[in-house]
Amino acid sequence: MKFRPLHDRVLLRRVEQDEKTKGGIIIPDTAKEKPMEGEIVAVGSGLRDETGKVVPLDVKAGDRVLFSKWSGTEVTIDGEDLLVMKEADIMGVLAA
């Protein structure tokens, strides 16, 4: 893939949730919500501060993160549905 997000933006892939509940009930596609968990595919270089110095992002490619429900812009790159969003829309990194 030849895509690099600019500045404080990240490219991420949604991580699909289980299709069953803990009680064994199968959730149909029409009732599912889009997952708010994803894996970072690529990150931008960072924002510039007041002095012009580039401040790198706190996330890196491969991190699993939680993000705001309605954040990001859906894009299709190489036939894969991905999201581009600002780092500020990411709520946190999930521990491995």
Side-chain angles (χ1 to χ4, degrees):
M1 174 183 332
K2 297 186 187 222
F3 181 84
R4 182 179 54 89
L6 297 177
H7 309 297
D8 66 333
R9 289 182 174 77
V10 298
L11 180 69
L12 62 86
R13 173 184 305 114
R14 287 185 193 269
V15 175
E16 294 300 322
Q17 303 295 323
D18 292 335
E19 295 185 12
K20 287 186 181 180
T21 64
K22 290 182 181 179
I25 298 172
I26 297 174
I27 303 169
D29 287 340
T30 56
K32 282 188 205 175
E33 289 190 15
K34 290 187 177 181
M36 297 185 325
E37 184 178 328
E39 178 183 355
I40 304 285
V41 176
V43 297
S45 59
L47 279 178
R48 295 192 182 273
D49 62 10
E50 299 83 30
T51 62
K53 180 182 167 198
V54 175
V55 179
L57 302 181
D58 290 332
V59 295
K60 62 185 180 309
D63 283 349
R64 286 179 68 106
V65 296
L66 290 177
F67 53 89
S68 303
K69 190 172 195 170
W70 304 108
S71 61
T73 302
E74 293 182 358
V75 296
T76 301
I77 299 174
D78 294 337
E80 185 176 13
D81 293 330
L82 302 168
L83 284 172
V84 176
M85 67 178 62
K86 290 190 172 245
E87 184 188 35
D89 293 333
I90 297 174
M91 296 184 283
V93 178
L94 296 170

